Amino acid sequence: MSAPQGTRAILRLVKVSVGEGGKETVEPPKGFLFGLDLGSVDVTTYASKLDYLLVQPEGYSDVFGYKGKISFAEKPWTSYCQWHDGPLDEADDPTRRLYCPVPADTFCSKHRRTERAAYTLCLDSRSEKALDACKYIDSIVKTEYVVYMVDYGGDKPKVGTTRKFRLLERISEQPHIVATVIYETDSLFDARRAEMKVSREGIAVESWRHKIVFHQDLYFGITRLKGPAEKASRLLGFQWPATFFTIKLPLNERPLVVEPDQLGRESYDVIGAWGGFLFLKNSRGQTLAIKTSYLMHKNSLMVDLRTKS
């Protein structure tokens, strides 16, 4: 199949929506080791679906939601400034944002001192400057934050911080088996400092090897997560609610994980997204998975403007 006749575009967001949660009671498997048996455990499970890809044609500040076929632009790909005018304190309609059209790594010279840049520095860096950026955000933005912990099958769980209104969407972007909230606050500085403290104590890690979690056994995930979550909450002086939730993997088949250089010039159907991966269907009916981090904020896509949403 030939590539779509189209426009080279910057991928700005993979927009996923998370539906209403339902309760699932998970039981220990037969023969489970004595001492680790937690009995039956309730987990809130959510389904998610891909709404659209938010794309920005090169040379323009406007963006739009795209639901058509994509192909991948010829390399080299250029990175673009990540600034946009969306609010930090509440959810917004991404399609109404304006994005900077200037090539840059992270933020251009015009936008590197903006609120958006400070928020990104706060969460992405482990330096003292990061905590100063968190304090700055607290002085101008009023909202609630949560520190969460996820089990993804690794040696230690992963700890992170996000705005409370964005919790489910944020968890859906990360490969995980089960998640829980270990701290809540109205201060970004407080939340980021708590996250760093949990990491320094060796209870959890702030980053991990990015992978798709195919074997999502909730019970074993809970047994791995319960102890660290309890320990971290005590460390932070927070009354842990001992509640667990998960965003289910929206695939019934194991995709083939590919690198950008393995993608041909053909058209692909975009069939879903989860855990930091975009799921594609090629002309032969194969389901592929590619890390969204390879594509984000780069002129990596070719899109057909006639099929924009």
Side-chain angles (χ1 to χ4, degrees):
M1 183 180 293
S2 62
Q5 298 298 316
T7 300
R8 190 160 185 164
I10 306 155
L11 178 61
R12 289 305 195 174
L13 177 69
V14 178
K15 181 65 174 68
V16 169
S17 60
V18 180
E20 292 294 322
K23 187 178 78 171
E24 180 177 334
T25 300
V26 295
E27 305 283 349
K30 292 181 179 181
F32 199 56
L33 293 176
F34 180 78
L36 294 178
D37 188 346
L38 306 176
S40 61
V41 182
D42 290 337
V43 180
T44 303
T45 61
Y46 298 89
S48 65
K49 68 179 183 69
L50 175 66
D51 291 334
Y52 54 80
L53 303 182
L54 189 72
V55 299
Q56 174 188 7
E58 282 189 299
Y60 295 86
S61 295
D62 294 323
V63 290
F64 61 88
Y66 183 73
K67 297 181 180 180
K69 291 179 178 288
I70 64 170
S71 64
F72 295 92
E74 292 187 14
K75 289 190 174 182
W77 296 343
T78 300
S79 295
Y80 282 77
C81 175
Q82 297 176 20
W83 179 88
H84 64 80
D85 64 353
L88 288 170
D89 60 346
E90 62 182 358
D92 69 325
D93 178 355
T95 63
R96 295 182 178 274
R97 296 174 184 169
L98 294 177
Y99 275 82
C100 179
V102 176
D105 290 326
T106 62
F107 292 93
C108 68
S109 57
K110 179 181 177 180
H111 292 123
R112 66 173 54 125
R113 298 184 183 278
T114 58
E115 297 170 11
R116 177 67 52 183
Y119 182 79
T120 300
L121 174 62
C122 168
L123 292 181
D124 288 356
S125 173
R126 297 179 178 86
S127 67
E128 286 300 317
K129 286 184 178 181
L131 291 178
D132 289 340
C134 298
K135 290 179 181 178
Y136 171 66
I137 293 298
D138 280 342
S139 72
I140 55 177
V141 175
K142 304 302 177 186
T143 192
E144 295 178 286
Y145 304 91
V146 293
V147 181
Y148 59 84
M149 189 177 285
V150 303
D151 172 76
Y152 65 101
D155 294 334
K156 292 182 180 180
K158 191 260 185 189
V159 64
T161 297
T162 192
R163 291 162 288 176
K164 188 173 183 178
F165 69 81
R166 200 176 174 275
L167 174 63
L168 294 179
E169 189 175 349
R170 180 68 185 121
I171 297 301
S172 76
E173 296 169 349
Q174 304 185 44
H176 70 282
I177 297 171
V178 68
T180 189
V181 171
I182 61 170
Y183 191 66
E184 296 187 27
T185 178
D186 61 0
S187 164
L188 181 57
F189 171 76
D190 190 27
R192 188 70 176 97
R193 187 171 57 177
E195 178 188 350
M196 290 178 172
K197 187 173 184 179
V198 170
S199 177
R200 283 198 305 269
E201 290 294 319
I203 301 171
V205 296
E206 293 180 65
S207 60
W208 73 102
R209 185 168 62 88
H210 215 90
K211 62 180 182 179
I212 297 181
V213 182
F214 293 107
H215 303 292
Q216 297 180 299
D217 190 303
L218 290 176
Y219 200 86
F220 285 106
I222 291 167
T223 60
R224 288 189 296 264
L225 189 59
K226 183 175 183 291
E230 287 178 330
K231 185 176 181 180
S233 294
R234 284 197 304 269
L235 177 69
L236 301 174
F238 181 71
Q239 184 63 44
W240 181 51
T243 55
F244 301 95
F245 64 97
T246 187
I247 319 295
K248 289 190 172 182
L249 177 69
L251 284 182
N252 295 320
E253 58 186 311
R254 187 184 184 102
L256 174 65
V257 179
V258 295
E259 303 288 319
D261 291 342
Q262 295 175 271
L263 294 167
R265 293 286 296 151
E266 67 174 289
S267 294
Y268 296 89
D269 290 308
V270 183
I271 62 171
W274 181 90
F277 286 84
L278 196 62
F279 302 132
L280 311 171
K281 187 80 74 173
N282 67 14
S283 59
R284 296 173 298 284
Q286 292 176 300
T287 298
L288 311 179
I290 184 169
K291 292 181 186 178
T292 56
S293 60
Y294 289 147
L295 312 173
M296 290 292 294
H297 307 298
K298 299 172 185 175
N299 58 350
S300 54
L301 301 184
M302 298 295 294
V303 299
D304 185 350
L305 296 184
R306 296 171 298 180
T307 61
K308 69 180 181 179
S309 63

